[in-house]
Amino acid sequence: MINKATKLFPVWAILLSIVAYAIPSLFIPLKPSLFFLLGLVMFGMGISLRAHDFLRILKSPKPIIFGLLLQFLCMPFFAWGISTWLQLPLALASGMILVGASPGGTASNVICYLAKGNVALSITITTFSTLLAVIAMPALSLLYLGKQVDVPAMKMLMDIVKIIILPVTAGIIVNQLFGRFLSSTKQVFPLISVFAIVLIIAIIVALNQPRLGSIGLLLVGAVALHNALGLFTGYWLPRALGMDRQTCKTLAIEVGMQNSGLAAALAVKYFAPLAALPGALFSLWHNLTGSLLASYWSRAK
């Protein structure tokens, strides 16, 4: 029953997204629960991990470094290239490049967990990319847009601590102390994660419904191509360099899934409301493509 519900993850995500777009008032009041839902999923991840999983990752930092390089070199360049090729208006191009320059999003950790990737590696890259974003985002914005943006460093770091570090640490501690007695309970957390991320996607759709209604097909194509290039490069480049399949899945998800909410917020602050559209659309799009990949990879041998 649990496996069947988990495999239908993309179906639930698409169906609930349609409902959220049609009747946003059902989901907008749930906005305050976003942090709780993510924290719950992160705790479930922690239950499946032990401290030595992170120590092993840090002792072999090559995948971390490679993931960060792909994140901050490829994604902003792809955004600039697509915007130039499609001749997007300046505001939309600015929003695209801000998405490309963003760190990994917390949703990537959830998708990695469901895709049976290396969760410890995913969390580590998300944390380090968020720390680096404090320097990288202003520098990349200046390089590609000629304008520096101020990244809310302390808020981002506190969010990482509250949403990722604390719940995962609590789960690891519970696993260390009571892991033997929780073997049957652990099987329930993938299902909880599925329902949580589906609800998160629906809330994102509801909150962005007015913006999504004004998005043209050209921008949809630009965002879809940007996301696809991130996922493709994140998987096949490490694969060509001999990295194992689990690591490649993890890097694909980390590179292809951005903190687009941050990009949208910065776009409104430093450019124009129109510049927030790429971030709003990316928030929906990368969760849907991530859901499809997680469903496929969780079943693939």
Side-chain angles (χ1 to χ4, degrees), residues 70 181 238:
L70 289 174
F181 310 105

Side-chain angles (χ1 to χ4, degrees), residues 40-68:
L40 179 64
V41 176
M42 295 298 165
F43 176 80
M45 289 183 201
I47 288 279
S48 69
L49 297 169
R50 293 185 179 273
H52 64 73
D53 292 322
F54 290 92
L55 294 174
R56 187 174 64 251
I57 293 295
L58 292 172
K59 285 178 181 176
S60 303
K62 181 181 173 182
I64 301 173
I65 296 168
F66 199 69
L68 294 172

